[in-house]
């Protein structure tokens, strides 16, 4: 009689709850990732591009955004697949956290001194790639180490940095002046990721348990059978549509404040960046108010789909005031509604995804594919938005498209039958 090989700790399903210290360090690592990921693209890059190319800023920003998003299409699943197969004594995830953080810090420092759109675009490409590498180590940590019944609350706390990253980043950027100094400040934050990487438990993968890797294996990883893993496919489809809706409603907010509301004329003495910071602050506070509670509630009730649906529909409702009455007051109302819905959606949807991953040996690759569904829409958002803004009704039509996509994404989550 032949005994089945013992399952190594690296591939086992976690059963022991993580403590508050582990959660705190994981939250800090997420701060180190999300603040430098979101704040520069929201505050620094649009202003930097507007300074370089004031007449063509919309098209140039679209190009830069696409360059950053495109890198993730290949790099995210590749880094995830290689992370799953890493047999270093440091573990599977730690080497990727360290390498990605160092590249991220260097890329941010370099972007700060660029004086051409092409230079910013190239820096954005490298920066995006570094976040894909960091994600290959950070995203699988929850299904690696956290039992399913605790993931909602853990991800709820971990998503607070994602929800509050733009307001935190905006406040930090206000402490210094000039693009080089501001980008350097952002470059210091991945040190928090290195802190988590040093302290985390990351059991190594024995070489005998490493899955073989080849180009064909990698390309096959993009194909997830809807028949064998319908829950994962529907969860990714819902994520992609929701990402498209969210991107259409938020990516061009700096230009909406400038070109539609004429914020600087509306409030003399203030800049458009000041208005954007107010909108983001209101939105972030609303998101933070629901993200931890909704994650905890999904664990308590054991019902993830209902909360994801409610969050998505609420996000759709947020676009209506801006479409019907594009005023400063309605902008703030929309920011609150969007934040409340996004807070409910954010942690619970991620917890749902961790429960439909196809295989424990491929957690890194599969989480990368799932996360790609939130970033890939940003490849499509700029060209779609450019067409809508230029030929199909302007910002009113853009916000209505955002609402329609959010509703569709919310409805699709009901197709995930394997999760309550």
């Amino acid at each position: 009689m032949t005994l089945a090989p013992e399952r190594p700790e690296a591939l086992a399903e976690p059963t022991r709850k993580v403590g508050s210290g582990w959660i705190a360090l994981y939250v800090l690592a997420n701060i180190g990732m999300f603040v430098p990921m979101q704040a520069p693209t929201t505050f620094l890059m649009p202003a930097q591009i507007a300074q370089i190319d004031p007449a063509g800023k919309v098209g140039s920003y679209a190009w830069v955004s696409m360059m950053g998003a495109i890198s993730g299409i290949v790099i995210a699943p590749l880094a995830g697949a290689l992370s799953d197969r890493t047999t270093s004594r440091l573990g599977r995830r730690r080497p990727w956290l360290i390498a990605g953080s160092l590249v991220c810090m260097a890329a941010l420092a370099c972007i700060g001194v660029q004086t051409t759109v092409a230079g910013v675009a190239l820096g954005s490409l490298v920066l995006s790639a570094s976040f894909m590498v960091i994600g290959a180590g950070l995203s699988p940590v929850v299904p690696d180490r956290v039992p399913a019944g605790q993931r909602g609350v853990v991800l709820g706390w971990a998503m607070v940095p994602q929800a509050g990253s733009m307001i935190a980043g905006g406040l930090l950027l206000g402490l210094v002046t000039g693009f080089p100094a501001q980008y350097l400040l952002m470059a210091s934050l991945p040190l928090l990721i290195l802190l988590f990487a040093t302290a985390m438990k990351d059991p190594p993968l024995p070489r005998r348990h490493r899955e073989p890797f080849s180009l064909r294996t990698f390309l096959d990883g993009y194909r997830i059978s809807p028949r064998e893993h319908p829950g994962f496919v529907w969860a990714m489809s819902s994520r992609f549509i929701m990402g498209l809706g969210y991107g259409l409603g938020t990516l061009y907010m700096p230009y909406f404040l400038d070109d539609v509301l004429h914020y600087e004329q509306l409030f003399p003495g203030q800049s458009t960046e000041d208005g954007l910071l107010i909108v983001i602050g209101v939105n972030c506070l609303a998101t933070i108010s629901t993200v931890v509670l909704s994650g905890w509630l999904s664990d308590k009730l054991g019902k993830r789909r209902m909360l994801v649906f409610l969050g998505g529909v609420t996000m759709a409702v947020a676009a209506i005031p801006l479409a019907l009455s594009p005023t400063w007051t309605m902008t703030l109302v929309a920011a609150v509604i969007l934040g409340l819905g996004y807070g409910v959606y954010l942690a619970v949807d991620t917890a749902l995804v961790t429960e439909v991953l196809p295989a424990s040996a491929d957690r890194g690759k599969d989480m990368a594919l799932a996360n790609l569904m939130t970033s890939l829409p940003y490849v499509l958002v700029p060209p779609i938005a450019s067409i809508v803004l230029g030929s199909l009704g302007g910002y009113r039509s853009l916000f209505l498209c955002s609402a329609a996509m959010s509703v569709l994404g919310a409805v699709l989550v009901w197709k995930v039958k394997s999760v309550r």
Side-chain angles (χ1 to χ4, degrees), residues 388-409:
V388 173
L389 292 175
S391 307
L392 298 178
Y395 280 95
R396 180 177 183 178
S397 297
L398 187 70
F399 292 129
L400 290 176
C401 287
S402 171
M405 291 297 100
S406 295
V407 169
L408 178 58

Side-chain angles (χ1 to χ4, degrees), residues 8-62:
E9 184 181 359
L11 300 180
E13 286 296 322
T15 56
R16 185 177 180 180
K17 289 186 176 183
V18 295
S20 57
W22 190 96
I23 296 173
L25 288 173
Y26 187 61
V27 170
L28 288 175
N30 278 272
I31 292 173
M33 177 175 178
F34 283 112
V35 174
M37 175 190 287
Q38 296 188 4
T41 57
T42 302
F43 297 106
L44 298 181
M45 287 185 188
Q48 191 176 13
I49 290 169
Q51 185 180 94
I52 295 169
D53 183 19
K57 61 183 180 181
V58 172
S60 295
Y61 184 48

Side-chain angles (χ1 to χ4, degrees), residues 293-311:
L293 177 62
S294 61
W296 172 83
L297 193 60
S298 74
D299 284 342
K300 194 74 173 177
L301 299 177
K303 295 182 179 180
R304 311 240 195 244
R305 291 188 300 169
M306 174 60 76
L307 289 170
V308 171
F309 174 77
L310 291 176

Side-chain angles (χ1 to χ4, degrees), residues 63-243:
W63 180 48
V64 170
S65 298
M66 288 178 64
M67 287 290 289
I70 286 172
S71 69
I73 298 175
V74 174
I75 296 174
L78 177 61
L82 293 176
S83 172
D84 289 330
R85 292 163 173 79
T86 299
T87 56
S88 165
R89 289 182 300 173
L90 296 175
R92 290 192 297 170
R93 314 305 181 190
R94 186 178 287 115
W96 295 87
L97 292 173
I98 295 171
S101 298
L102 295 176
V103 174
C104 175
M105 295 163 72
L108 285 166
C110 289
I111 296 172
V113 297
Q114 297 306 309
T115 56
T116 65
V117 173
V120 176
L122 180 60
S124 176
L125 182 68
V126 176
L127 182 64
S128 176
S130 74
F131 289 124
M132 300 304 109
V133 173
I134 293 171
L138 199 60
S139 294
V141 165
V142 170
D144 279 351
R145 308 305 306 168
V146 182
Q150 193 189 13
R151 289 175 190 171
V153 69
V154 169
L155 288 167
W157 283 110
M159 294 304 167
V160 169
Q162 182 173 344
S165 60
M166 286 192 287
I167 184 62
L171 292 173
L172 285 172
L173 291 172
L175 299 176
V176 295
T177 58
F179 292 127
Q182 290 173 318
Y183 275 106
L184 280 176
L185 180 59
M186 292 293 102
S188 68
L189 293 174
L191 291 172
L192 296 173
I193 303 173
L194 297 179
L195 175 63
F196 176 69
T198 301
M200 67 181 283
K201 182 179 180 182
D202 188 16
L205 177 69
R207 290 183 178 273
R208 66 182 182 277
H209 289 278
R210 180 175 60 185
E211 294 286 337
F213 182 81
S214 65
L215 179 60
R216 181 174 181 178
T217 301
F218 170 63
L219 294 177
D220 285 345
Y222 280 90
R223 296 198 298 267
I224 306 294
S225 171
R227 179 174 296 180
E228 294 179 13
H229 308 289
F232 186 64
V233 172
W234 282 117
M236 290 206 302
S237 300
S238 173
R239 272 198 156 199
F240 178 82
I241 300 297
M242 288 296 300

